[in-house]
Amino acid sequence: MGILAYMQRIGRSLMVPVAVLPAAAILLGIGYWIDPNGWGQNSIVAAFLIKSGGAIIDNMPILFAIGVAYGMSKDKDGAAALSGLVGFLVVTTLLSPNSIALFNGIDTKADDWLKQVPAAYGKINNQFIGILVGIIAAELYNRFSRVELHKALSFFSGKRLVPIVVSVVMLLVSAVLYFIWPTIYDALVAFGKYIKELGSVGAGIYGFFNRLLIPVGLHHALNSVFWFDVAGINDIPNFLGGQKSIEDGLATVGITGRYQAGFFPVMMFGLPGAALAMYHTAKKGNKDKTASIMLAASFAAFFTGVTEPLEFAFMFVAPVLYVLHAILAGISLYIAAAMQWIAGFGFSAGLVDMLLSSRNPLAVHWYMLILQGLVFFVVYYVAFRFVIVKFNLKTPGREDEDTTVSSTESTQKKQVIGDTSKLAEQYLAVVGGKGNLTNIDSCITRLRLGVNDSELVDEQAAKALGAMAVIKLGKTGVQIIVGTQAEKIADEIKKLV
């Protein structure tokens, strides 16, 4: 497997622990609404909700270890998740300040004993370690889950063997980390400080690369640096922590949330503006078809922040528009950060998350993001329409006649899409049949497939079934953008295979 395909596997697996964040956002958001000033002191219901949401946020590192181990395992078995948990507990216990003090003969009864332990070990419980442990646990699971031992030890064969192997391997991993973790930690902190020192400019640079990496699915890896505690930024958990984060010195009003806020104007308003431009520039005979596609995709972007259906509509047919989109996203994050217009999210930058975060003590002038969004709606519309017309780009509805789907084909396609099991059969044929598949997975809008030979995947046939794009990651990795039914299609393909 190529490095790009492997990295996208890691990026995909990061979505497993990230998927629990909406639960925390809902619990905390409702708690803020009930008691925005007392933070639960004035309402037992608010306290109950806030503490429940906080339980998720406070344990994100261990959720990363479990989620990544599960997500990267070959058959998504609970034994892989358990192995991730075992590995994380071994590493974080062996490298905890108390253990380090014991190994180095430091008297823990002394008042200043913690000062004698390198600060890196006090931060061993973090998402970076969770991701590392999860990857190792998954690889060990994939290697040893089918090993058969001698009859005398047969009880420990197969999947039962994996947690044992993981616990032993983590002893070695801990020994290595004992020597190199302080250096890694210092490097991550230096990177985090560098980004923080760039302030709003750093937020803009992040926003640009966040969008630019979406085509290959590596934006999740980038997000983990800015949104979680990989480099000391931890923007989402600190924001969702609200008043508690402020009191603990982990959050600053007007600063925390700047790696999230600028996405709201883009997702809720900018991309729908681009959709309107694509509709207005579509050929007369294709306007109805284009309108139905753009309306549904715009609705998803505005309310939930799911933008891939819109972005993939022009990402590959008009790359210059996508680069323009990435630049505008960077500008949006810069403006929101510079003006300290802050809102946050647990899932994505849609209306639902904006409203849930509006009573958070760290949400500053969040309503100004709506005004900024209205401006970006116009900017996106004007810029996209000008570029489409100027360069005669083949955006949806502007395709050449021989590639435009006829009304009969559209009807047939809708009939097939309505039957997920039938659609799965069609996609299985498109990717070269059972013999060409080595792995089947999905995220929100993509089928993420491992194949023996990506050249056997029929891109045109996939698009005829309704796929928005096909991305080939070397010889053995393929992503097919099919929309929000990706997980259902993947499940049906697994049944067939």
Side-chain angles (χ1 to χ4, degrees):
M1 178 180 294
I3 185 65
L4 187 61
Y6 191 79
M7 287 298 295
Q8 70 98 8
R9 276 186 62 206
I10 296 175
R12 174 206 67 212
S13 69
L14 290 175
M15 285 301 295
V16 178
V18 168
V20 306
L21 279 173
I26 291 170
L27 292 169
L28 291 167
I30 296 174
Y32 300 141
W33 273 94
I34 295 173
D35 186 13
N37 298 317
W39 189 244
Q41 295 179 4
N42 302 322
S43 169
I44 190 170
V45 175
F48 190 81
L49 293 170
I50 290 167
K51 287 295 183 182
S52 299
I56 298 173
I57 295 300
D58 294 341
N59 290 288
M60 284 305 295
I62 198 168
L63 293 176
F64 267 75
I66 295 170
V68 171
Y70 173 83
M72 291 194 68
S73 62
K74 59 186 177 184
D75 57 2
K76 305 297 180 291
D77 191 88
L82 176 62
S83 300
L85 172 61
V86 169
F88 186 80
L89 293 176
V90 170
V91 171
T92 54
T93 299
L94 286 176
L95 297 180
S96 68
N98 281 290
S99 297
I100 297 299
L102 178 63
F103 300 152
N104 289 277
I106 298 172
D107 184 7
T108 56
K109 295 180 180 179
D111 293 336
D112 64 343
W113 74 272
L114 269 175
K115 295 181 180 178
Q116 301 177 54
V117 178
Y121 299 111
K123 294 288 187 179
I124 195 65
N125 192 332
N126 65 78
Q127 283 90 341
F128 179 85
I129 295 297
I131 294 169
L132 176 65
V133 169
I135 292 171
I136 296 173
E139 293 298 337
L140 292 173
Y141 173 85
N142 293 339
R143 171 65 180 83
F144 292 101
S145 60
R146 294 185 180 179
V147 170
E148 293 295 330
L149 301 177
H150 187 274
K151 289 184 179 180
L153 299 172
S154 60
F155 177 81
F156 299 104
S157 294
K159 295 174 182 177
R160 293 191 184 96
L161 177 64
V162 180
I164 299 173
V165 173
V166 168
S167 62
V168 173
V169 170
M170 287 306 160
L171 293 175
L172 302 177
V173 172
S174 298
V176 173
L177 287 173
Y178 176 81
F179 295 103
I180 69 172
W181 171 240
T183 302
I184 295 173
Y185 175 77
D186 290 343
L188 289 171
V189 170
F191 176 72
K193 286 183 177 178
Y194 173 73
I195 293 297
K196 287 180 179 178
E197 287 171 359
L198 290 177
S200 52
V201 173
I205 293 172
Y206 158 66
F208 171 74
F209 284 104
N210 169 276
R211 294 295 94 182
L212 209 60
L213 288 173
I214 281 182
V216 290
L218 297 183
H219 56 298
H220 297 307
L222 180 69
N223 290 343
S224 66
V225 174
F226 291 88
W227 287 352
F228 303 108
D229 199 17
V230 171
I233 297 175
N234 210 31
D235 206 45
I236 288 181
N238 285 345
F239 181 88
L240 292 178
Q243 188 62 36
K244 184 176 183 297
S245 295
I246 297 172
E247 293 172 356
D248 292 345
L250 301 174
T252 303
V253 176
I255 301 299
T256 302
R258 64 184 173 188
Y259 301 108
Q260 305 166 66
F263 285 117
F264 286 96
V266 171
M267 295 182 174
M268 291 175 62
F269 298 96
L271 282 169
L276 182 62
M278 286 186 278
Y279 165 71
H280 280 163
T281 55
K283 294 178 180 179
K284 188 175 181 179
N286 295 330
K287 283 190 178 293
D288 288 344
K289 180 188 71 174
T290 306
S292 63
I293 296 171
M294 293 302 155
L295 185 62
S298 297
F299 183 87
F302 180 82
F303 281 97
T304 68
V306 175
T307 59
E308 286 188 328
L310 256 180
E311 289 168 322
F312 278 98
F314 62 88
M315 183 183 294
F316 296 104
V317 296
V320 65
L321 286 180
Y322 197 77
V323 174
L324 174 62
H325 166 48
I327 293 171
L328 291 174
I331 293 172
S332 180
L333 263 79
Y334 167 75
I335 293 173
M339 301 302 293
Q340 295 191 358
W341 298 336
I342 304 296
F345 49 79
F347 175 64
S348 190
L351 179 64
V352 174
D353 277 276
M354 173 177 277
L355 294 178
L356 284 173
S357 74
S358 63
R359 297 290 284 269
N360 188 312
L362 289 164
V364 184
H365 304 307
W366 61 271
Y367 47 84
M368 292 301 293
L369 293 171
I370 297 176
L371 179 60
Q372 180 183 338
L374 293 173
V375 174
F376 266 72
F377 179 90
V378 176
V379 170
Y380 264 79
Y381 175 80
V382 172
F384 268 60
R385 182 162 186 163
F386 173 79
V387 174
I388 290 170
V389 174
K390 177 70 174 177
F391 298 101
N392 191 28
L393 301 178
K394 304 301 180 182
T395 48
R398 292 175 59 84
E399 306 94 339
D400 294 329
E401 293 301 323
D402 58 340
T403 60
T404 301
V405 181
S406 69
S407 59
T408 302
E409 289 173 322
S410 296
T411 301
Q412 292 174 343
K413 185 192 301 182
K414 289 178 182 178
Q415 290 173 348
V416 172
I417 291 175
D419 184 349
T420 306
S421 60
K422 180 65 176 177
L423 189 58
E425 292 179 11
Q426 300 280 352
Y427 274 114
L428 182 59
V430 163
V431 299
K434 299 178 183 179
N436 195 40
L437 278 177
T438 59
N439 185 63
I440 305 165
D441 214 326
S442 65
C443 64
I444 297 173
T445 59
R446 313 182 191 203
L447 296 175
R448 295 176 180 264
L449 307 174
V451 295
N452 291 314
D453 186 358
S454 61
E455 292 302 316
L456 297 179
V457 178
D458 190 335
E459 294 185 45
Q460 293 303 318
K463 291 178 180 179
L465 289 175
M468 286 162 273
V470 175
I471 307 170
K472 296 182 178 180
L473 301 170
K475 184 180 180 181
T476 59
V478 174
Q479 295 179 4
I480 303 178
I481 293 48
V482 298
T484 53
Q485 57 185 338
E487 185 175 359
K488 292 181 180 179
I489 295 174
D491 290 340
E492 291 295 331
I493 293 177
K494 289 177 182 177
K495 293 177 183 178
L496 294 171
V497 173

